[in-house]
Amino acid sequence: MNTDLTTGNTSRLLWAFSIPMLISVAFQQFYNIADSVIAGRFIGEQTLAAVGASYPITMIFMAVAIGSSIGCTVVVSQLFGSKHYAMLKTAVGTICCAGVVVSLALSLFGIWQDDNLLLLLQTPKNIFSDASLYLHIYILGFLFLFLYNVGTGIFTALGDSRTPLYFLIGSSLGNIALDLLFVIAFDMGVAGVAWATFLAQGIACVLALITLFFRLRKLQTTEAHQFFSFAVLGQVTKVAVPSILQQCFVSVGNLFIQSLVNSYGSAVIAGYSGAIKLNTFGVTCMTTLSNGLSSFTAQNLGAGKKDRVQEGFRAGAKMGILVSLPFVLVYFFFSEAAMGLFMKSESAEAIAAGAMFLKIVTPFYFVVSTKVMCDGVLRGGSAMLYFMTTTFTDLVLRVVLAFVFAIGFGLGSTGIWLSWPFGWSISCVLSYLFYRKKPWEKRSYDTL
């Protein structure tokens, strides 16, 4: 099921490669949303707010997993494109070993500091205990989350976007079934939501890693490969660390924003919790296309086919616009109905807050899609400084403007929502200018 992305029609290749990835992320976000729907409708608004209050902290852990996955994808894609299979196997072994160490270290830190992080965010007392319990269980399962994301990144690097889809479908359906069992049948409250995610993610992780190792055994090579290599770890780190920092910049920015949101009470927190899950669904679909474009770019650069990079960007930009269109239409024109998925009609204030967020940010999804496609090419070409610069610009603008609009201009929570379009728009212009510089033309990709 490994796919060579260096030959054939660019647009058809990207669509065929990206559709399974889009379905995967749809299922992933579907069960993330299902968590919040079940929490809000079957337990209550305060439980939804508790899950939402812990969300920016969980996203820091997710940022490390996703950033590491991106680093793995780029390096393994370049090795696969250049047919260096022995080094590819060494890279996978190195990545998995380092991943276990990093994830366990972060888990210990998270368990030690989770309550302090919630206090730092000014989490309201009426939802603090539930938020703490949810966060604690989530952190216990971080090893599975980390290795699953790394495994998915490696499958993608090998041109296989279908296998992760199958695991995601099984994990998503299992997570929803366990949610319903633990929350409704066993009445476990917010702990049931957290344990359902833990178990579903853990099973998917183990099955994905077993499948990956069997897949790698089929790659024939006459050269010996190492189980671990510091040299390879250094190359992966060069891409992974900037990607992790980029993801963490966003997550840390969200911590500041969440602390500001928390100051407006549990109703606004609940509304933001539901709306940000819907927003994450749309944006993640676009970034998934971007990750596919990174693999396409990296494979072609590894094969010395630099002329196909711009073809890939043009095809990816069209895909991004087409994928973002339905989200814009549904979220903008049916925002109240979308928020009604998470809460009952009695939660009018929370529904109104979430609907306002969606109406403000969704028209700018077309801007986001253009930005992430530029980022996808830059990432695939290992131009990480440019990639980080645009993300950091977006982060700083969104955080600063959220406080300026909400407090300085007295716009309240609406002012927080207004900061998103400004950050996206300016960072999009920067990403496109960096893409136009064609930094991939200045270096060789035939070896690590």
Side-chain angles (χ1 to χ4, degrees):
M1 296 178 71
N2 302 337
T3 303
D4 187 346
L5 301 174
T6 63
T7 59
N9 181 275
T10 298
S11 184
R12 290 177 185 173
L13 272 175
L14 279 174
W15 273 115
F17 183 55
S18 299
I19 285 175
M21 295 172 66
L22 280 173
I23 298 173
S24 294
V25 78
F27 270 93
Q28 186 179 44
Q29 295 303 316
F30 177 63
Y31 84 68
N32 283 338
I33 290 172
D35 274 351
S36 295
V37 169
I38 292 168
R41 295 192 69 87
F42 291 98
I43 308 176
E45 179 185 306
Q46 287 197 358
T47 300
L48 176 60
V51 174
S54 64
Y55 182 69
I57 301 173
T58 65
M59 288 307 295
I60 290 181
F61 288 86
M62 179 65 81
V64 177
I66 293 175
S68 300
S69 176
I70 290 170
C72 302
T73 301
V74 170
V75 171
V76 175
S77 290
Q78 290 174 3
L79 290 169
F80 186 67
S82 59
K83 306 297 189 291
H84 292 162
Y85 296 146
M87 186 63 76
L88 186 154
K89 292 181 180 182
T90 298
V92 172
T94 301
I95 289 162
C96 290
C97 290
V100 170
V101 173
V102 170
S103 56
L104 288 177
L106 283 173
S107 296
L108 290 173
F109 174 80
I111 292 170
W112 175 43
Q113 289 293 324
D114 55 359
D115 280 358
N116 288 333
L117 291 172
L118 288 170
L119 288 170
L120 186 65
L121 293 179
Q122 304 178 60
T123 305
K125 291 182 180 179
N126 63 324
I127 62 172
F128 190 93
S129 60
D130 277 350
S132 177
L133 178 59
Y134 179 87
L135 186 57
H136 194 80
I137 297 170
Y138 177 93
I139 293 171
L140 286 175
F142 179 61
L143 173 64
F144 298 123
L145 174 70
F146 187 97
L147 292 178
Y148 176 79
N149 275 275
V150 166
T152 299
I154 295 170
F155 278 121
T156 302
L158 298 175
D160 178 8
S161 56
R162 294 185 182 181
T163 299
L165 167 61
Y166 302 146
F167 287 122
L168 233 316
I169 291 174
S171 176
S172 301
L173 295 178
N175 189 83
I176 294 169
L178 289 171
D179 268 337
L180 295 172
L181 177 67
F182 292 163
V183 172
I184 299 176
F186 294 167
D187 195 25
M188 292 174 63
V190 72
V193 177
W195 281 117
T197 301
F198 179 103
L199 291 173
Q201 190 75 66
I203 294 170
C205 170
V206 172
L207 293 177
L209 290 178
I210 292 172
T211 304
L212 175 62
F213 289 127
F214 275 106
R215 182 72 54 79
L216 290 174
R217 291 179 63 183
K218 295 180 180 179
L219 289 177
Q220 300 298 321
T221 177
T222 57
E223 304 173 48
H225 65 275
Q226 300 172 258
F227 185 70
F228 183 89
S229 166
F230 281 104
V232 172
L233 179 61
Q235 294 299 324
V236 174
T237 301
K238 286 180 182 178
V239 182
V241 168
S243 298
I244 291 170
L245 290 175
Q246 178 263 340
Q247 296 287 332
C248 287
F249 287 158
V250 175
S251 298
V252 170
N254 288 337
L255 285 176
F256 285 105
I257 292 173
Q258 184 71 52
S259 68
L260 185 57
V261 171
N262 288 354
S263 68
Y264 290 95
S266 59
V268 173
I269 298 173
Y272 178 67
S273 176
I276 202 67
K277 288 291 180 74
L278 294 173
N279 177 71
T280 300
F281 188 1
V283 173
T284 303
C285 284
M286 290 176 253
T287 55
T288 298
L289 293 177
S290 171
N291 293 338
L293 184 56
S294 288
S295 294
F296 175 89
T297 302
Q299 277 199 26
N300 279 280
L301 290 175
K305 298 183 177 181
K306 297 181 179 181
D307 56 307
R308 286 170 61 85
V309 172
Q310 288 181 283
E311 292 178 23
F313 172 75
R314 287 191 291 269
K318 293 176 184 177
M319 290 169 58
I321 291 172
L322 287 173
V323 168
S324 60
L325 180 59
F327 288 104
V328 174
L329 295 176
V330 172
Y331 289 175
F332 186 82
F333 292 105
F334 303 98
S335 54
E336 288 84 3
M339 290 304 303
L341 293 171
F342 299 94
M343 290 163 283
K344 299 176 182 178
S345 57
E346 304 90 79
S347 303
E349 183 182 351
I351 291 173
M356 179 61 71
F357 175 91
L358 293 175
K359 285 184 180 295
I360 289 172
V361 304
T362 52
F364 291 84
Y365 280 180
F366 300 119
V367 174
V368 177
S369 68
T370 302
K371 178 194 182 304
V372 297
M373 290 306 163
C374 294
D375 289 347
V377 174
L378 294 171
R379 209 166 42 226
S382 301
M384 303 308 292
L385 179 60
Y386 291 148
F387 173 59
M388 286 183 63
T389 300
T390 61
T391 304
F392 189 71
T393 300
D394 176 22
L395 164 73
V396 171
L397 284 172
R398 276 199 288 139
V399 172
V400 171
L401 291 177
F403 282 87
V404 169
F405 291 156
I407 299 174
F409 291 173
L411 298 177
S413 60
T414 301
I416 306 175
W417 318 152
L418 287 170
S419 66
W420 259 263
F422 282 90
W424 285 346
S425 299
I426 295 174
S427 61
C428 176
V429 172
L430 282 176
S431 289
Y432 183 72
L433 291 175
F434 290 148
Y435 161 77
R436 294 289 297 172
K437 289 173 69 69
K438 303 180 184 179
W440 59 87
E441 297 281 2
K442 302 174 184 177
R443 59 166 291 185
S444 172
Y445 297 86
D446 58 340
T447 66
L448 282 177

